[in-house]
Amino acid sequence: VAYARSKQSEKAVTHFKRVPAGGPYFDQAQAQAAYLLKTEGQSDDGLKLLEKPVVDKKAGPKMLTMYASLLDDRGETKKALQILESAILSYPKDTELHFYFGTLHDKVGDKKKVVEVIRSIIQMDPMHLQGINYLAYTFAEQGENLEEAEQLARKAVKIDPQDGYIMDTL
């Protein structure tokens, strides 16, 4: 982490890769290594790093989210959605998996699924700031459920009045 924070990505990746499988930090370390590889223009290496744990069903939610992100970056959005759908079955309470799943549905134009997924996130975590704001913005963008959109946006502002994205939604 210190190497990553000091912009020494190569050293950070080397050390993240050393975190043992099955350990408490494996999921986070591998996801972080893949992210750093992505930022260095080495997305294919990030995919290779995560592929074995994903295939072997040893990937946790952070790795699965990053793997789906890397697939989406390559234009393989449908495959990314399949990975996330499967991941949600394994980690049904992980709101970040759900959130990314919802945003990918938005990317492919399935607004009905977006609303369904984001509502489920807010039901799991009524203070999920990203979810509240995303749903408010989605409704406003569509010109639908505008009263609910305003209520959601005002709730989000109460949670974080300094966030520019939230103020934009309101």
Side-chain angles (χ1 to χ4, degrees):
V1 172
Y3 283 131
R5 288 186 180 158
S6 64
K7 308 288 187 226
Q8 296 180 58
S9 296
E10 191 174 312
K11 287 182 180 180
V13 168
T14 298
H15 286 282
F16 282 135
K17 286 180 176 181
R18 291 181 184 161
V19 174
Y25 302 108
F26 181 68
D27 184 52
Q28 187 172 356
Q30 301 313 297
Q32 187 65 34
Y35 173 77
L36 290 170
L37 288 166
K38 174 183 172 176
T39 62
E40 296 293 320
Q42 301 172 36
S43 292
D44 287 344
D45 291 339
L47 274 169
K48 287 176 191 169
L49 175 68
L50 300 180
E51 192 164 8
K52 183 168 176 33
V54 168
V55 169
D56 292 348
K57 306 239 185 269
K58 295 189 184 208
K62 290 188 184 322
M63 265 196 277
L64 291 163
T65 301
M66 179 52 62
Y67 189 72
S69 173
L70 292 166
L71 288 171
D72 181 46
D73 288 350
R74 288 176 68 172
E76 297 181 51
T77 305
K78 286 184 180 180
K79 187 173 179 182
L81 282 166
Q82 291 169 344
I83 292 292
L84 291 171
E85 191 166 22
S86 176
I88 287 169
L89 293 174
S90 297
Y91 303 98
K93 300 214 183 275
D94 190 289
T95 56
E96 296 314 306
L97 277 172
H98 285 268
F99 187 76
Y100 191 51
F101 186 61
T103 63
L104 281 186
H105 276 286
D106 198 8
K107 185 175 183 174
V108 299
D110 189 349
K111 295 289 187 184
K112 184 177 178 183
K113 187 68 174 180
V114 172
V115 170
E116 175 190 318
V117 171
I118 302 298
R119 281 195 189 282
S120 75
I121 293 167
I122 296 169
Q123 192 171 26
M124 283 187 275
D125 178 3
M127 301 301 281
H128 193 280
L129 186 58
Q130 286 179 303
I132 294 165
N133 189 60
Y134 205 91
L135 187 57
Y137 190 86
T138 299
F139 286 150
E141 185 179 52
Q142 292 179 303
E144 297 176 0
N145 301 329
L146 295 178
E147 285 183 29
E148 183 179 2
E150 183 180 2
Q151 289 172 351
L152 289 164
R154 290 194 184 283
K155 180 178 180 177
V157 166
K158 283 182 183 177
I159 296 169
D160 188 354
Q162 303 302 316
D163 189 305
Y165 291 108
I166 292 168
M167 293 307 295
D168 179 60
T169 300
L170 184 58

